[in-house]
Amino acid sequence: MTVVAIEPATPERWAELERLFGPTGAYGHCWCVYFRRRAKDFTASVSCAPGERGAGNREELRRVTLDGAVPGLIAYDGSDPCGWVSVAPREDFVRLARSRSVRPVDPDEPGVWSLVCFWLPPRRRRKGMGSQLLDGAIEHARANGGRILEAYPVDTAGGRAPSAEVYTGTVRMFRKAGFTCAPHPGSGRPIARLTLKDD
């Protein structure tokens, strides 16, 4: 496993984050703002003319980063940015509140942080870097006042049913880090939660 440094995406690291995500904004011109933007704004940014695709999403992530909000953490191998995790207070992710599958059971619960995305270039995958990013996200949320860290495992097995069994690969990583995983009461999709600070 490559040992990497995990650093917050601060304004002075914007150029490195932009380089990591490349011309397609990591994946599909997303720029990791899917949960930060209203559906119509995100869709407009990815469904426009090819030369303009993702420009609105890129500008949103740039704005958040340059405003000093720290939208996530960047992994480095030496000076080379090589991975990303999006972690921030849950209220920063406007689409979570409207989501049918992962909407908060208690939207007023204080101190909840959300981890909504990992991204690694293909050559960096399956080398343990996701676990390192997860550890970094846990420490970042805890150091910045988070009480609970919540995550939304995705289907890594290729199935379609919204059951915890389908999400085995990602759920295993969260469980290994101490998260409890349970089906969302409305959708059955797994929600992973870790207590960072006791009341």
Side-chain angles (χ1 to χ4, degrees):
M1 177 189 331
T2 303
V3 177
V4 299
I6 309 292
E7 301 291 345
T10 52
E12 61 273 11
R13 293 191 178 101
W14 166 250
E16 294 162 1
L17 180 56
E18 188 177 32
R19 180 163 48 107
L20 173 66
F21 280 3
T24 60
Y27 178 78
H29 306 284
C30 177
W31 288 93
C32 208
V33 295
Y34 177 85
F35 285 104
R36 289 181 177 274
R37 301 193 82 190
R38 295 179 306 166
K40 70 176 187 174
D41 297 329
F42 182 88
T43 300
S45 186
V46 297
S47 61
C48 55
E52 300 169 15
R53 275 193 197 135
N57 291 339
R58 177 190 168 280
E59 283 309 307
E60 177 65 13
L61 183 61
R62 182 177 183 275
R63 181 193 64 75
V64 170
T65 304
L66 296 186
D67 284 352
V70 184
L73 307 174
I74 305 169
Y76 289 87
D77 183 355
S79 62
D80 184 31
C82 60
W84 165 256
V85 61
S86 179
V87 59
R90 185 169 67 188
E91 59 267 19
D92 289 3
F93 301 107
V94 297
R95 282 177 80 168
L96 287 178
R98 298 183 177 120
S99 170
R100 292 181 187 162
S101 59
V102 293
R103 141 184 327 128
V105 174
D106 179 359
D108 298 320
E109 183 180 16
V112 179
W113 279 52
S114 291
L115 187 161
V116 297
C117 183
F118 290 97
W119 189 78
L120 298 166
R123 68 186 180 87
R124 299 283 187 173
R125 296 173 189 167
R126 300 190 179 280
K127 296 180 180 177
M129 197 173 296
S131 295
Q132 291 181 59
L133 281 163
L134 178 56
D135 290 344
I138 292 167
E139 290 312 309
H140 178 71
R142 181 180 284 127
N144 286 281
R147 275 185 54 256
I148 301 285
L149 180 58
E150 195 170 80
Y152 318 97
V154 296
D155 179 357
T156 59
R160 291 183 177 263
S163 67
E165 291 75 27
V166 169
Y167 298 82
T168 53
T170 309
V171 166
R172 189 174 326 137
M173 181 178 72
F174 285 110
R175 284 189 175 141
K176 188 174 179 184
F179 286 73
T180 58
C181 296
H184 186 279
S187 69
R189 178 172 169 174
I191 304 293
R193 285 173 60 95
L194 177 68
T195 300
L196 301 172
K197 295 179 181 175
D198 293 325
D199 290 332

